[in-house]
Structure formats: C-alpha cells, structure tokens
Amino acid sequence: MNSIKPTRYEQLIAGATSTEMILNIGPQHPSTHGVLRLEVITDGEIVREVIPHVGYLHRCFEKHAENLTYQQTIPFVDRMDYLASMNNSHAWVMGVERMLGIDKDIPKRIEYIRVLVCELNRIGSHLIALGTYGIDIGAFTPFLWCFRDREHIMNMLEWASGSRMLYNYIWVGGLFYDLPVGFEERCSEFVNYFKPKMVELNELLTGNQIFVSRTANVGILPLDVAINYGCSGPMLRASGLKWDLRRVDEYSVYPEIEFDIPTGKGEMGTIGDCWDRFKVRIDEIGQSVRIIEQCLERLQKDLKRTPDFDPRAKLPKKIIPKSQDFYIRAESPRGELGYYFITDGKTEIPKRVKARAPSFHNLSVLSEISRGILIADLIAIIGSVDIVLGELDR
Amino acid sequence: MGFEDIKALLINKFGEGIIVGEDITGLQPALIISPERIAEVCLELRDNEKTWFDQLSCLSGVDYGIEENMFGVVYHLASIPYKTQLTLKVRKYHDRSRDELPSFPTVSSVWKTADWHEREAYDLLGIGFEGHPDLRRILLPDDWEGYPLRKDYKVQEYYHGIKVD
C-alpha cells in the first residue's frame, strides 16, 4: 500500500510551472466559517487548482462515540454542526428510536415540538449562511439584519432548552422539557415580526445588481456532478433537483405538513450557480416559516399543553437496540445528515458510529467547480457552499 | 427493485460467487460482496437502468473487533430516480500488522464522493484502497502514527514534543 507512487496532490504541487504560484487561503479566512485551508495554484489571478485541507477542528466525534451511550452522545452531536444543533440531535434520536422500534409510539405533541424547533433552527442556520454570504461578497448590512433576526430565534431556543447553541433538547423517546409556557404565543409573534423582515432581506440582496454580478454564472455546479459528488441540501436543489429528505423519507410529522421544495431556476444566470444557491436558501426560509405556522396551529389547537403531559414519559430506561447496523438520514439545513450505527445488542454503547456530514460532501466538489475562475470568485463559491467546519471534520 | 431482485441481478451478471453472504437481521438488509469485485458491482448498480444507484450516501470503514480481526467497508447507496436505498458490505480478515493494510478496490472512479470518504477510512482505520488517486490522511496530520478508530489503537505519547493526552 505504501508504495512510492506520488499521489495526485504531490503531482499537482510538483507540476506547478514557474509562472504559477501556490497560494494559501486560510486556515483562518473570514469567508470560511471555521478553520479551513485552501491551497490554491494560481496563474496571475486565475485559479488553476484548489486543494482543500480539512481536519483542523477534528474533535474525534466517532472516537468519543465509542465510549458513550446513545443518550450521552446527543450533546456531542450538537457540537458537530453548531449552527443547527436541533436538526443534528433530531436525526440521531430518530435513528436510535427506529432501532429500538419505538418511533411510532412518540406522542404527536412531541413530534410537532421537534419539527417546530428544528425549523426554527433551520431558519437560524440559513440566516447565518445568507448574512455571512453578504459579507463575503462585500455587503455588510445583510449580516447585521440576519444576525438581528437570528437573535430572536436563539433567545427562544435558549428559553426552551436553557442553552444558547448546544441545546441537548431532543432526547431519545421524548424531550428534555416541554415548551415553556407562552412559547407558542411568542413564536407566533416572532413569525409575524419576521415575515416583513424576510421581504426586506430578500429585496436587499436578491435583485441587487452588484450582488447579481458577483454571483450569477459563478461556480456553476451541473446536476450530474452534484449527484456524483454526493452533494445534498440547498447545494443539490440549486442545481435543479427536487430532492428533500423531509419529503423523500417522510420522517417525523412532515407528511402531515404542507410545504414546497424550492429549486434553482437559473433566473439570473445558469442553473446551479452561486446566485441559485443563495436564492434556494432564501426560499427555504419562507417554507420553514410556513411549517412553523402549521406546527403552532396544531400545538395551540388539538395538541394543547395539558398539566399531566410528560415529555419524558416514553424515555426508555435502558437503550439497548438489538444487534444490527442501521443508517439513518435526515435533512439538515446543509443537506443529508446521516448516521451509521453498528450495535452489538449487549451494551448501551454503539460499537461504531459514522456521521455522514453534508458539508463534507458539499466541500469536496469545490476543486471541481473552481478551475479557471478568478480568486475573488473562489470566495463567492466557498461562501455559497455554506460549510460548517465543525461538521466537516467532525 | 427490491432487495431480492438486486441480488438476482448481481448473481445473473457476475455469477454465484459475487455475494458471499448477507445481513438480514436488522431493519436494513445488506449484501456482503466479494471484496475484489466491489468496484465492478458498484459500477453496474450505478449504471443499470433497473437500479440506478446514482448517489453514494455514505462510506464507512469498520473495525469489527480484536477477536475477529476483521476489517470492512460499508457502502450506503441511494437511488434518486427510484427513491431506494441499498447497503453493500465488504469484509476481509487482517492480522493488524502495520506493514500491510487491509485493502479493497477503490470506488472513487464510480462516485467521486468516495474519494474523501476513502481517505477518511484510510486515515482513521488504516484501510487501504487500491487504485485510489490521492490516498493521503485527511483529518489528522500527515505524520500521525497509528489509526485512531482501530480497536487496538494506543495513542502516541508525544507528537512533535507535545504531550498527547
């Protein structure tokens, strides 16, 4: 195995000509939200090749999971994608529940609360993606606006779970707490406040001539390439495919909820360019608001809070799934989030856990779509991928 | 196409020996493929009009434990047009010696996704992939010793003079 044959990386570095320059972008570049180093071979301002180096944040999630029980791992799952912790723990919990065979017994109220907080978290995550994307392109206002609105979501989720970013709120078999009294009302208030703000946000960038010039026809990702590289989420949908695991796998209570799946249309340029990826996220926020409204309606009408309702009633005493291996996938804000479990049926500790992180796949396509572009466009492309490095290295 | 149909299709195309076993105890049945021919099988499953597994959802390297001395790779395939999923596995006995890694053919020519995933499996479990164009460590530093996800992994005491704990 350890033959002397040089790898592709070594060939690329050795093959750089005297007119080319090897440039490092990162490890800490403002457009990479986390620590990422890009080794770029450039000819003047033209990018010849991009080689991403990941692994700076590697905190050994899979190694940790070898020593922790299923319940104890939930906080570690939150730390992977710290911008969408709820979605991470939802996926994890669903996988464990399905292995235990209790996924059908979860009370409806709990399921609706889960979907509610997940969608709130999705909006928060997309707001960061959009706001910081504005900064990557050179606009500062969207950043402030997005963070202002996200703060409301953070406050609400903090109120529900007691923590600002790493919630540990969704548990196997239930929730840590029921929603605090008055949460539904405050959430409705937020929705009413947020709707006009969303229109403003949309007007601010979507049709902005400078923004369109910087993003349209840049970093075009054709659909077949996206599929081959395993891209998912907004990245895949922007390339024109209607593929959303909330609809495909119909998990939790999503089948009961109405929402659309936005896809890239290429309105300003070509299908699958940076502008499309931006637009898909904007549209998805709108759809998440729709889902939240429906959840709130159900929670306030026929799934009302009752004094004897215990969100931990279904919590299993011991979580020992029977011996099997299981792959669960769910739609996180960045795409398909998967967990692969191997259990031996004897202990509460999984034998092996592998996390399939959407950012990992989405970033791997970077070198494919950024050959022959300008360095400034490379920044636009990285921003449009919406990577979270904590999830990328896990 | 169901699980049995896919099995029949593979046996029809590659012969009886292609499937060396199956795992049907859990919720998701899995086929254990003869390790040498995994790349061909994947290519067939991707391109056959009846299966069309155009996306590789996940690729995981697995160390099956110290007693068994078994290493394997698990492939989770997804078909976007048919909305189906399939699990494939390959396994190999290996005595855990450092000099030679347990190795399987790469599927990175079938799905580009596998490129980084195989590098990760190499990095963390020490599984080699024949024909991989760029087999380097991906998450850990290039000069790290050992493969952390192996069950017999002992962490090195010092790394460049820094105490590792």
Side-chain angles (χ1 to χ4, degrees), chain A residues 244-280:
Chain A
D244 190 318
L245 294 174
R246 288 175 290 177
R247 276 283 178 258
V248 176
D249 282 5
E250 308 232 299
Y251 60 87
S252 201
V253 286
Y254 283 110
E256 298 174 19
I257 295 172
E258 272 177 45
F259 65 97
D260 301 325
I261 304 167
T263 53
K265 301 274 191 319
E267 281 164 59
M268 294 292 173
T270 321
I271 291 181
D273 57 10
C274 288
W275 189 87
D276 263 351
R277 291 198 271 281
F278 168 83
K279 187 68 171 38
V280 163

Side-chain angles (χ1 to χ4, degrees), chain A residues 177-215:
Chain A
Y177 293 119
D178 198 353
L179 288 177
V181 177
F183 187 92
E184 291 93 331
E185 289 75 20
R186 185 162 156 192
C187 198
S188 313
E189 267 172 44
F190 167 74
V191 168
N192 293 333
Y193 154 86
F194 185 60
K195 271 183 173 170
K197 297 284 182 213
M198 211 169 62
V199 177
E200 276 177 27
L201 180 70
N202 201 356
E203 280 169 1
L204 189 65
L205 278 182
T206 310
N208 183 314
Q209 195 49 54
I210 301 170
F211 183 74
V212 171
S213 311
R214 284 294 311 276
T215 54

Side-chain angles (χ1 to χ4, degrees), chain A residues 27 34 110 118 185 271 303 320 334 352 373:
Chain A
I110 286 180
C118 281
E185 289 75 20
I271 291 181
L303 297 169
I320 305 179
R334 265 154 282 282
R352 167 97 165 95
I373 56 161

Side-chain angles (χ1 to χ4, degrees), chain A residues 7-9 54-55 63 98 227-231 324-325 327 336 340 351-352 354 356 361 394, chain B residues 27-28 54-55 57 59 61 64 74 76 89 111-113 115 117 120 133-134 136 138-139 148 151:
Chain A
T7 62
R8 189 178 60 208
Y9 168 70
V54 299
K63 188 75 189 161
R98 254 184 238 175
I227 293 174
N228 201 352
Y229 272 90
C231 295
Q324 60 182 312
D325 56 323
Y327 178 71
E336 176 180 337
Y340 174 57
K351 200 169 167 191
R352 167 97 165 95
K354 156 106 184 178
R356 182 255 197 230
H361 297 244
R394 298 178 302 275
Chain B
L27 293 165
Q28 290 167 332
D54 43 6
Q55 197 163 36
S57 291
L59 186 155
Y64 285 99
V74 183
H76 289 96
K89 292 180 184 177
W111 300 283
K112 289 280 175 57
T113 329
D115 187 328
H117 269 288
E120 195 189 321
D134 202 17
R136 295 178 285 132
I138 184 166
L139 297 177
K151 299 288 181 195

Side-chain angles (χ1 to χ4, degrees), chain A residues 64-108:
Chain A
H64 274 303
E66 280 180 356
N67 299 311
L68 298 168
T69 66
Y70 285 100
Q71 202 79 286
Q72 285 171 335
T73 317
I74 296 173
F76 285 86
V77 174
D78 290 349
R79 275 158 182 75
M80 284 201 318
D81 183 352
Y82 38 83
L83 300 182
S85 310
M86 290 288 188
N87 297 75
N88 285 15
S89 34
H90 191 199
W92 176 274
V93 162
M94 262 191 330
V96 179
E97 281 170 0
R98 254 184 238 175
M99 279 196 292
L100 290 168
I102 58 168
D103 57 321
K104 296 277 181 283
D105 312 332
I106 309 296
K108 270 275 144 69

